[in-house]
Amino acid sequence: MNAPLKQHLIDPEICIRCYTCEEACPIDAITHNEDNVVVDAAKCDFCMACISPCPTGSIDAWRVVMQPYSLEEQMSWMELPEQEEIAKPDGTGPAEGGDVEALEDSVERLLAEAHAGAGGKARAPATASKPSINLYNLKKPAVGIVQGNYRLTSESADSDVRHIIIDLGNQHFPVLEGQSVGIQPPGTDASGNAYLPRLYSISSPRDGERPNTNNISLTVKREEQGVCSNYVCDLQKGDEVRLTGPFGATFLMPNDPQAQIVMICTGTGSAPFRAFTMRRQRLTADGGERMRLFFGARTSDALPYFGPLKKVPDTILEKHLVFSRAEAVEKEYVQDRMLKQRADLAGLLSAPHTHIYVCGLKAMEHGVEAAFEQIAKDIGTDWVSLRDQMRESGRYHVETY
Ligand SMILES: Cc1cc2nc3c(=O)[nH]c(=O)nc-3n(C[C@H](O)[C@H](O)[C@H](O)COP(=O)(O)OP(=O)(O)OC[C@H]3O[C@@H](n4cnc5c(N)ncnc54)[C@H](O)[C@@H]3O)c2cc1C
């Protein structure tokens, strides 16, 4: 047989066929036969879960030689789809019926409401990069082309959450992790007015789904009878979509690899945290300080990015995935797990480089606050004054909707 080396995950020159990797392959892509074929390239989904147990370094060797993307990029929260060359949009003509002031007012109001849970005026981390905002508006939106639309929750889950990749062609659309875009659904409301855009967090890092691609991804949940979410979730590959923004100047990452980042989310609140994690992974070889993620869903089927997320190494991301309606595991909400981790979180609350981010449904705020109140007591502090102090120094952020 002897297929070209390029199609093999493992360098057969180095591999001593100890078969450790066979046990570790989560999708049974690694098989052996008398011709010493160690990987079925057609089946291998490049999750690279086989890397850590390889005792001979042969997979590493392959990666250096053949693999254009680093381990960290492969380990992102979504297997990165093929990036195809697609037709570039031919300009950004004005949208019909746009009202720039109404847009600005509505975005400011939405962001202020979303950030209200932090208890006061939101501030960016002191070391955050300077964001670009309001580059595109209703009169002059950016025009993106949908590159892919993938369901993230299982078919049997109640919720339909999607990963949507939007190519920005040659348009200048600089974004930072934690920012949002506006999407204006086509059509008009009952009074005949154009719809105002809804905000969606960007779930890709600043340099794109793959490094140096001019695209963004979104993580969107279909709302029953929701105008915009249904429009976005139904977008097909090749469709045009009008974007406003980018928006948001405070829910941003610190530019500090030593910063301790704690991320607490439910559902699509995971979107900015996917971007944060990928940014950290790409920025430094070792990913900087380990980040912590508390992520709640009803079941694992309904938790966006569940499979890929589990593959992110623990050295980069400490994961607390909790389920409130699962049958086989203890029923937990994020605040329950936070309390189980109270010694660790108490230490982090006392540390000057700790940044806390809460994102998702408004309903999660109460439980998270209550957990922090208890944890703050452990270090002899009043939560509200500590929270206000952290928020003032750009280290406590809430974005809930
Ligand atoms: C800063 C920020 C970031 C956000 N990021 C994300 C994100 O990353 N992902 C994400 O999915 N969402 C995100 N959102 C929420 C998003 O902006 C929209 O609010 C959401 O998609 C719902 O919009 P819609 O147009 O589909 O619903 P709308 O049409 O505005 O309806 C709102 C609600 O009313 C209900 N409704 C509407 N019409 C009817 C009717 N006739 N009868 C009964 N019920 C009805 C809908 O079910 C829906 O729940 C974010 C919001 C903010 C403020």
Side-chain angles (χ1 to χ4, degrees):
M1 61 93 327
N2 284 336
L5 174 61
K6 207 171 176 178
Q7 289 182 21
H8 292 248
L9 255 184
I10 296 174
D11 182 347
E13 297 295 318
I14 307 175
C15 180
I16 58 164
R17 327 235 189 271
C18 64
Y19 296 172
T20 319
C21 53
E22 192 169 22
E23 280 166 33
C25 176
I27 55 162
D28 298 328
I30 302 186
T31 53
H32 301 254
N33 62 22
E34 60 277 13
D35 295 317
N36 288 329
V37 179
V38 283
V39 172
D40 177 343
K43 272 165 82 187
C44 177
D45 75 351
F46 301 98
C47 69
M48 310 292 257
C50 51
I51 282 187
S52 50
C54 177
T56 65
S58 77
I59 298 183
D60 241 39
W62 172 88
R63 182 157 52 89
V64 171
V65 177
M66 312 303 263
Q67 180 47 255
Y69 301 104
S70 69
L71 168 63
E72 286 72 29
E73 288 142 19
Q74 293 291 330
M75 287 292 192
S76 66
W77 289 22
M78 177 81 193
E79 274 82 28
L80 300 172
E82 283 302 308
Q83 305 282 305
E84 288 173 24
E85 263 303 308
I86 58 169
K88 302 288 185 252
D90 55 0
T92 54
E96 295 294 319
D99 179 341
V100 177
E101 274 174 31
L103 166 71
E104 281 170 359
D105 285 355
S106 83
V107 167
E108 231 160 79
R109 181 176 48 78
L110 286 170
L111 282 174
E113 281 169 12
H115 295 167
K121 193 171 160 37
R123 287 185 198 280
T127 58
S129 303
K130 195 169 161 27
S132 302
I133 52 170
N134 298 327
L135 294 182
Y136 295 87
N137 57 38
L138 287 180
K139 283 209 185 297
K140 189 173 180 292
V143 181
I145 303 283
V146 175
Q147 254 181 297
N149 179 342
Y150 308 86
R151 185 167 168 135
L152 292 170
T153 44
S154 81
E155 290 299 330
S156 59
D158 290 346
S159 60
D160 179 9
V161 181
R162 296 187 163 262
H163 183 76
I164 294 149
I165 305 171
I166 299 172
D167 183 272
L168 291 156
N170 52 13
Q171 294 159 105
H172 180 59
F173 201 95
V175 299
L176 292 177
E177 304 77 16
Q179 285 194 289
S180 304
V181 291
I183 295 193
Q184 183 184 32
T188 54
D189 64 19
S191 321
N193 297 318
Y195 290 113
L196 282 175
R198 273 59 163 173
L199 294 183
Y200 293 98
S201 306
I202 296 162
S203 53
S204 47
R206 62 188 77 181
D207 53 345
E209 274 288 278
R210 286 188 189 276
N212 306 316
T213 48
N214 192 23
N215 58 12
I216 57 168
S217 69
L218 306 176
T219 311
V220 179
K221 178 171 184 249
R222 189 188 292 279
E223 295 289 348
E224 217 173 295
Q225 306 192 58
V227 175
C228 195
S229 59
N230 277 286
Y231 161 67
V232 177
C233 288
D234 287 339
L235 284 169
Q236 304 288 314
K237 189 172 171 181
D239 284 351
E240 272 192 2
V241 57
R242 292 172 183 187
L243 303 173
T244 57
F247 299 118
T250 59
F251 197 92
L252 304 172
M253 285 183 87
N255 258 341
D256 172 9
Q258 297 317 310
Q260 303 270 8
I261 296 182
V262 179
M263 304 174 285
I264 305 167
C265 66
T266 55
T268 54
S270 55
F273 301 151
R274 176 182 186 265
F276 281 24
T277 310
M278 288 173 78
R279 172 69 181 163
R280 265 280 171 100
Q281 288 173 305
R282 286 183 192 173
L283 204 56
T284 52
D286 63 1
E289 282 292 326
R290 181 160 71 148
M291 304 166 88
R292 289 161 177 82
L293 174 71
F294 293 82
F295 190 172
R298 288 182 173 184
T299 60
S300 57
D301 281 356
L303 189 133
Y305 307 107
F306 181 64
L309 184 52
K310 278 202 309 182
K311 295 174 197 162
V312 180
D314 289 342
T315 47
I316 291 170
L317 186 66
E318 181 183 299
K319 289 156 284 211
H320 296 280
L321 309 182
V322 299
F323 307 109
S324 58
R325 305 232 179 131
E327 306 247 306
V329 294
E330 187 187 349
K331 294 181 175 44
E332 281 180 284
Y333 293 96
V334 282
Q335 60 266 29
D336 301 326
R337 183 60 68 92
M338 287 169 65
L339 287 174
K340 285 181 188 152
Q341 293 294 114
R342 63 194 297 163
D344 180 39
L345 288 173
L348 287 169
L349 284 186
S350 322
H353 293 294
T354 301
H355 292 249
I356 297 173
Y357 297 83
V358 181
C359 191
L361 295 178
K362 278 249 174 261
M364 72 185 290
E365 278 176 19
H366 180 70
V368 169
E369 282 271 319
F372 274 132
E373 265 167 37
Q374 292 194 49
I375 297 165
K377 276 193 194 133
D378 293 352
I379 49 168
T381 307
D382 164 58
W383 165 243
V384 174
S385 21
L386 177 59
R387 179 198 69 189
D388 289 351
Q389 200 189 315
M390 289 184 74
R391 189 193 60 246
E392 287 297 307
S393 58
R395 298 191 297 117
Y396 187 73
H397 303 270
V398 174
E399 191 163 280
T400 51
Y401 40 85

